[in-house]
């Protein structure tokens, strides 16, 4: 069912019916319950910390020196965070925190091809998101500081992230995207 069809149907409900639908959704789904709790008591910092913990737990999955994190789970976590309606600066903070964890973890674990591509895609997404919301300069400064931090990750990973960020900025400023 599309949002438009749902909206059309909900408009016909009485106040009591709407309350009943919301309460049923609240009790039937963990995700709905979390959303309504955030809606009633919006604490973006607590939600941010929760999502960082979920991403860190995903990144801790390893076997025989290889990180077994699933980039789809990480991207889904960021998308869910954005769906709560938090401000764009919080979403950008989560994207950058995730990128920082991915770069740092690479010093200790090897990444498979999907995760390496995911790091590049996350870098691009972070820069594009920041550009779309008017703080691309700050995002580029964050990535630059990240890539100049000696003890974080490997030089190859830092150079890869820096190159991806710079190429994304170049594409955005030249009007190719």
């Amino acid at each position: 069912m599309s949002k438009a069809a749902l909206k059309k149907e909900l408009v016909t409900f009485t106040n009591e019916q709407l309350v009943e639908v919301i309460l049923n959704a609240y009790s039937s789904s963990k995700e709905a319950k979390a959303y309504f709790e955030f809606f009633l008591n919006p604490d973006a910092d607590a939600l941010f910390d929760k999502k960082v913990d979920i991403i860190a737990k995903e990144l801790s999955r390893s076997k025989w020196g290889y990180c077994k994190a699933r980039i789809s789970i990480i991207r889904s976590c960021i998308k869910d965070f954005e769906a709560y309606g938090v401000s764009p600066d919080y979403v950008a903070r989560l994207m950058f925190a995730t990128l920082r964890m991915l770069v740092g973890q690479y010093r200790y674990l090897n990444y498979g091809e999907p995760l390496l591509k995911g790091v590049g895609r996350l870098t691009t997404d972070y820069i594009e998101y920041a550009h779309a919301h008017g703080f691309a300069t700050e995002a580029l400064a964050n990535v630059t500081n990240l890539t100049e931090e000696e003890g974080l990750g490997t030089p190859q990973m830092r150079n890869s992230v820096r190159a991806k960020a710079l190429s994304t900025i170049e594409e955005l400023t030249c009007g190719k995207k």
Side-chain angles (χ1 to χ4, degrees):
M1 176 182 279
S2 69
K3 278 186 176 181
L6 179 62
K7 183 177 180 180
K8 186 177 178 182
E9 187 66 29
L10 289 175
V11 169
T12 65
F13 284 17
T14 66
N15 200 18
E16 293 79 24
Q17 288 173 320
L18 283 174
V19 168
E20 188 64 32
V21 167
I22 291 170
L23 290 175
N24 287 340
Y26 181 84
S27 62
S28 69
S29 166
K30 270 185 1 181
E31 292 85 14
K33 183 176 181 178
Y35 176 78
F36 287 125
E37 287 175 0
F38 180 78
F39 178 77
L40 295 173
N41 184 18
D43 185 0
D45 290 322
L47 184 62
F48 176 84
D49 292 340
K50 182 179 175 184
K51 294 299 182 180
V52 166
D53 290 344
I54 291 169
I55 292 168
K57 183 178 178 182
E58 182 65 27
L59 285 173
S60 70
R61 298 177 71 235
S62 65
K63 188 173 184 179
W64 297 325
Y66 280 89
C67 183
K68 295 295 184 180
R70 298 160 293 185
I71 196 66
S72 60
I73 300 294
I74 294 169
R75 293 177 63 80
S76 165
C77 191
I78 293 169
K79 186 178 178 184
D80 289 346
F81 183 68
E82 186 177 10
Y84 276 83
V86 295
S87 65
D89 58 318
Y90 273 99
V91 177
R93 266 183 54 202
L94 182 61
M95 292 172 110
F96 180 69
T98 303
L99 185 60
R100 183 174 174 74
M101 287 189 279
L102 283 162
V103 170
Q105 182 94 0
Y106 193 67
R107 183 179 189 105
Y108 306 104
L109 295 171
N110 294 315
Y111 288 177
E113 194 62 31
L115 198 53
L116 285 173
K117 286 181 180 178
V119 172
R121 182 67 192 156
L122 182 61
T123 303
T124 299
D125 290 348
Y126 173 60
I127 297 296
E128 288 176 348
Y129 187 84
H131 183 267
H133 291 89
F135 43 88
T137 305
E138 181 184 329
L140 188 58
N142 287 342
V143 171
T144 301
N145 291 338
L146 171 74
T147 59
E148 291 174 352
E149 198 170 322
E150 289 297 321
L152 190 67
T154 64
Q156 295 84 4
M157 176 60 86
R158 292 193 312 262
N159 289 339
S160 172
V161 168
R162 179 185 305 121
K164 193 68 168 172
L166 291 174
S167 70
T168 302
I169 284 288
E170 184 177 321
E171 288 176 7
L172 290 170
T173 55
C174 291
K176 292 182 181 176
K177 278 212 165 182

